[in-house]
Amino acid sequence: MAFGPLVDADWLRMHLDDGDLRVIDFRWYLQGRNGRDEFVRGHIPRAAFVDLEHVTGKQGGGRHPLPSAEQFEREMRLRGVSDGTKVVVYDDSGGATAARLWFLLGYFGHRAQAVLDGGIQAWGEPLETEVEAFAPGNFTAKAPDRSRTIHFEDVRALRGVPLIDARAGERYRGETEPIDPKAGHIPGALSAPFTENLDADKRFKSPQELRGRYEALGAGGGAVFYCGSGVNATHHILAMEIAGLPDARLYAGSWSDWSNRDAPVATGDKP
């Protein structure tokens, strides 16, 4: 039976003590809070914490370049992940950051990963404060699947494929920009905030609802997604997989790359 791309809290309760399962807390915040601090205050039992910055590379455009295979392999092994491990990733933001680690696992060839639908809120209780130590795993990062990503020059040359902006509407329109040097969006990009993939409980909408959303955006045959720095855009890539749709690709540098270059910027509601 296929594992992922989502599991629910009931499934996790049933399998939490499985020897081939590792739960990873991947909470991260753009400003104001610290994911590790939140982990220490309370986390799902037997979870390990991974810091986004520790699986962010040193080279490439934008604030959160993709890591090297060696860097990612090291971090996964330190958390007790092996080649045969099922990995469940969670956050407290409806999968907005957990999807990034889910994406990275697939990018480096792992094929048994899932996001906890609804995150730590769906889990509820019990939570633990004790930080468990894990024996190192033997995870092997394979050559990255570069068909899943594109970069600045690829975006400039993009034709006939929807380019979709995952950020909040006010950032797309250029009304506010909390961190990057320019406000607005890539000319031609469509606005589709990732938060609209979720229901009121921060769980993913049904595959049928998600498929309808992407088909309405012209993305039924594939699309390129970007956000601020390549983190939240992976939420769309996860949602496309839930919907059973092909060829979802990530502009890895995203707006933090585009806005730091000599590149055109659009503002307002229109692409």
Side-chain angles (χ1 to χ4, degrees):
M1 182 177 176
F3 175 73
L6 294 177
V7 298
D8 62 24
D10 288 341
W11 184 96
L12 185 56
R13 290 180 195 281
M14 289 176 59
H15 294 274
L16 192 61
D17 293 325
D18 289 0
D20 64 346
L21 182 74
R22 174 67 64 244
V23 180
I24 293 181
D25 185 315
F26 200 61
R27 283 179 279 182
W28 175 81
Y29 309 94
L30 183 62
Q31 294 173 319
R33 298 165 67 192
N34 179 277
R36 182 175 290 280
D37 290 346
E38 297 300 319
F39 173 77
V40 171
R41 288 190 187 100
H43 54 266
I44 292 175
R46 309 218 64 227
F49 180 76
V50 172
D51 191 323
L52 170 66
E53 306 302 335
H54 291 176
V55 288
T56 292
K58 306 300 183 187
Q59 297 181 344
R63 288 192 308 278
H64 291 112
L66 299 175
S68 67
E70 294 78 12
Q71 178 185 1
F72 190 71
E73 179 176 286
R74 179 177 65 250
E75 292 298 321
M76 292 300 97
R77 288 185 175 191
L78 287 172
R79 293 351 182 257
V81 176
S82 293
D83 289 336
T85 302
K86 295 183 180 73
V87 181
V88 174
V89 191
Y90 74 87
D91 58 28
D92 58 1
S93 52
T97 58
R100 169 75 173 212
L101 189 60
W102 170 88
F103 173 84
L104 287 174
L105 284 158
Y107 182 69
F108 288 111
H110 201 63
R111 291 292 178 263
Q113 66 271 13
V115 168
L116 176 61
D117 198 16
I120 196 169
Q121 296 94 329
W123 171 267
E125 300 289 343
L127 296 177
E128 285 189 353
T129 56
E130 181 180 351
V131 177
E132 185 171 345
F134 298 99
N138 65 11
F139 177 84
T140 303
K142 299 177 178 62
D145 183 357
R146 300 193 188 281
S147 70
R148 304 189 71 185
T149 60
I150 71 173
H151 301 281
F152 176 75
E153 294 299 340
D154 305 311
V155 176
R156 290 188 65 125
L158 199 63
R159 300 290 185 274
V161 177
L163 176 64
I164 296 176
D165 188 317
R167 299 172 301 160
E170 58 267 25
R171 289 185 74 188
Y172 173 87
R173 293 187 296 271
E175 295 164 4
T176 184
E177 180 46 61
I179 195 164
D180 290 315
K182 300 174 189 173
H185 60 269
I186 300 172
L190 303 171
S191 177
F194 76 87
T195 52
E196 294 176 16
N197 292 331
L198 304 172
D199 63 20
D201 294 326
K202 291 190 176 181
R203 291 180 173 87
F204 279 86
K205 294 177 179 177
S206 71
Q208 295 77 15
E209 289 174 292
L210 293 172
R211 178 180 285 267
R213 183 183 194 200
Y214 292 118
E215 288 176 344
L217 290 164
V224 171
F225 298 95
Y226 76 92
C227 56
S229 66
V231 176
N232 296 158
T234 58
H235 197 272
H236 275 306
I237 295 173
L238 173 57
M240 286 275 282
E241 181 153 329
I242 295 166
L245 295 173
D247 197 22
R249 290 177 287 164
L250 173 69
Y251 172 21
S254 283
W255 186 248
S256 63
D257 180 40
W258 188 274
S259 63
N260 274 283
R261 295 176 181 262
D262 182 16
V265 170
T267 57
D269 286 322
K270 303 300 182 184

